[in-house]
């Protein structure tokens, strides 16, 4: 089988991307005092710490990962209440998953208005900001898709 240049480049860049991921992981004891956490936790970006203090003040970090990828650092945080949050290199959330329901202040206003109108009383289980869209999974197993501005696109 003969491969052309674009195919070879695509295969090589894919392999390079998969090998370029560097991962730092720390698992914290549920009994850990947030002041006495390890050096890695202390190196967590201030924006992430601030986010957690504001939206999850009663939760404790049980796992924290910092990943270096080709596109920059990514962070994953797991809390003792079951919530999982992924952050980009700037500390902005990209994906939030919480079986108990995501804090409503984290749901973009237009999406929240749509949900209040069409799915009143049903909690959001996860929200995922992608490049051009936002995916919302509700606790009743309905998955919705919105554009990046919060305009409803479809039931997924």
């Amino acid at each position: 089988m003969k491969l052309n240049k674009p195919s070879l480049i695509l295969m090589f860049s894919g392999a390079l991307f998969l090998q370029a991921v560097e991962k730092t992981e720390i698992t914290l004891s549920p009994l850990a005092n947030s002041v006495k956490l390890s050096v890695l936790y202390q190196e967590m970006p201030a924006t992430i710490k601030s986010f957690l203090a504001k939206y999850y003040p009663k939760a404790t970090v049980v796992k924290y990962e910092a990943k270096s990828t080709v596109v920059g650092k990514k962070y994953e945080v797991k809390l003792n209440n079951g919530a999982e949050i992924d952050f980009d290199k700037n500390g902005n959330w990209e994906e939030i998953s919480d079986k108990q329901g995501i804090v409503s202040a984290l749901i973009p206003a237009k999406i929240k208005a749509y949900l209040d109108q069409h799915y009143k009383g049903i909690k959001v289980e996860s929200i995922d900001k992608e490049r051009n869209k936002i995916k919302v999974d509700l606790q009743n197993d309905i998955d919705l898709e919105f554009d990046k501005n919060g305009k409803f696109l479809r039931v997924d």
Side-chain angles (χ1 to χ4, degrees):
M1 180 172 128
K2 191 173 183 181
L3 294 175
N4 56 22
K5 263 188 180 178
S7 295
L8 287 172
I9 291 171
L10 185 61
M11 285 179 14
F12 177 74
S13 60
L16 184 63
F17 177 78
L18 290 173
Q19 290 180 351
V21 174
E22 174 192 321
K23 183 165 120 176
T24 305
E25 180 179 327
I26 178 170
T27 302
L28 305 172
S29 162
L31 303 174
N33 180 336
S34 61
V35 177
K36 298 177 182 178
L37 296 175
S38 75
V39 174
L40 286 176
Y41 178 78
Q42 294 302 327
E43 291 175 0
M44 183 186 294
T47 52
I48 296 175
K49 288 180 186 178
S50 175
F51 175 93
L52 295 174
K54 182 175 181 177
Y55 298 108
Y56 294 92
K58 295 179 182 177
T60 306
V61 174
V62 293
K63 188 173 182 183
Y64 164 70
E65 291 183 41
K67 298 179 181 181
S68 295
T69 66
V70 175
V71 294
K73 280 206 173 219
K74 301 266 185 180
Y75 305 94
E76 291 181 13
V77 176
K78 292 183 182 181
L79 303 176
N80 67 338
N81 66 357
E84 297 180 18
I85 309 153
D86 294 346
F87 297 92
D88 67 11
K89 64 184 176 185
N90 298 317
N92 301 310
W93 69 267
E94 291 183 321
E95 183 175 359
I96 304 171
S97 177
D98 188 346
K99 301 275 186 206
Q100 299 171 23
I102 292 175
V103 178
S104 65
L106 295 172
I107 301 168
K110 287 184 178 179
I111 294 175
K112 187 173 179 336
Y114 180 88
L115 295 174
D116 287 345
Q117 183 179 2
H118 299 281
Y119 298 96
K120 191 162 186 77
I122 300 171
K123 293 182 180 182
V124 174
E125 190 171 273
S126 73
I127 187 165
D128 184 7
K129 287 193 272 187
E130 296 182 354
R131 184 178 204 148
N132 294 318
K133 59 187 167 188
I134 300 172
K135 292 184 174 183
V136 174
D137 297 346
L138 302 177
Q139 285 184 330
N140 64 353
D141 291 330
I142 293 177
D143 300 339
L144 306 171
E145 205 170 281
F146 298 84
D147 70 10
K148 65 181 179 180
N149 297 315
K151 180 182 173 194
F152 175 74
L153 297 175
R154 65 188 178 109
V155 174
D156 194 22

